[in-house]
Amino acid sequence: MVTPTLYQRVLTDFDRLPDAVKSFHAQTVETTWEGRATVQRGTNIPSRMIGAVFGFPKSSNNANCVVTITPDENGELWVRNFDGARFSSRQMKGKRPDEIVEQFGPFRFDVQFERVDDRLNLRPVGWSLLRVRLPLRLCPNGPAFENEREGKFCFNVEIKAPFVGLIVAYSGWLRRTGTS
């Protein structure tokens, strides 16, 4: 019997997701996905500094995007590469249903999922630095969702912070390597 993936364990209505989104989150071994993305970076000094610390990609209208997800018994390691700019995070089960914790270095973000029509929306519901809880009103966030278009897994992530503005926004599509 195959052990359910992180998202299969966390999402209460996993089976109702669009096929491409289900496939993306149903891999039980290290899997690489490739595609294209549009990236917009914030231009003020604080947003450029934050983007550099996290390794976010530079602005591009047609970036090559590679995402490798490595599952293990505790969650998943995500390594994202946009035209050579790599950043990674670790995802694990959250405390509530439909919630994961995503860790970027010393920062942890509690992210709740909500399926609306054919989209899987992601919304931060808490965050911490070195496990010290921080005020939610200061949490970087923005519209983020996954969906399916033309049979491809599609993503849209926008990260803004109070007093800073846009840090990064990226959207595009991915297809599992080795598929057409």
Side-chain angles (χ1 to χ4, degrees):
M1 180 171 174
V2 176
T3 303
T5 66
L6 173 65
Y7 282 73
Q8 288 169 329
R9 290 190 315 266
V10 168
L11 298 177
T12 55
D13 60 355
F14 183 85
D15 292 332
R16 295 178 56 206
L17 294 172
D19 289 341
V21 177
K22 274 195 299 196
S23 177
F24 184 80
H25 292 297
Q27 305 304 314
T28 59
V29 296
E30 181 175 287
T31 308
T32 300
W33 301 76
E34 294 182 1
R36 306 303 289 177
T38 299
V39 181
Q40 181 183 0
R41 275 284 293 274
T43 56
N44 63 43
I45 292 172
S47 69
R48 289 195 325 247
M49 288 173 42
I50 293 167
V53 166
F54 283 93
F56 291 142
K58 295 181 177 168
S59 293
S60 172
N61 289 326
N62 193 24
N64 183 48
C65 180
V66 178
V67 177
T68 301
I69 301 172
T70 306
D72 61 34
E73 63 277 357
N74 298 316
E76 297 176 349
L77 173 65
W78 288 44
V79 178
R80 303 157 182 92
N81 184 330
F82 290 77
D83 282 341
R86 289 175 44 124
F87 61 104
S88 63
S89 67
R90 183 124 183 76
Q91 296 184 3
M92 54 218 109
K93 190 174 183 326
K95 293 179 181 172
R96 295 173 278 217
D98 294 331
E99 181 182 280
I100 63 161
V101 174
E102 185 161 18
Q103 183 164 350
F104 290 89
F107 289 94
R108 293 171 62 107
F109 297 88
D110 304 325
V111 179
Q112 193 137 51
F113 294 95
E114 179 185 27
R115 192 180 63 77
V116 176
D117 298 324
D118 67 339
R119 286 178 22 167
L120 183 60
N121 294 324
L122 297 79
R123 180 176 53 91
V125 293
W127 71 311
S128 61
L129 172 61
L130 299 172
R131 303 233 180 195
V132 175
R133 300 298 287 175
L134 300 171
L136 185 58
R137 69 181 178 282
L138 299 178
C139 183
N141 67 57
F145 63 87
E146 301 171 351
N147 65 347
E148 177 180 329
R149 282 193 314 266
E150 299 175 4
K152 295 177 186 168
F153 172 81
C154 297
F155 57 90
N156 184 82
V157 175
E158 186 175 318
I159 302 172
K160 295 179 179 178
F163 312 109
V164 175
L166 178 68
I167 297 170
V168 68
Y170 52 90
S171 62
W173 60 268
L174 295 168
R175 184 172 38 223
R176 187 173 170 187
T177 55
T179 61
S180 54

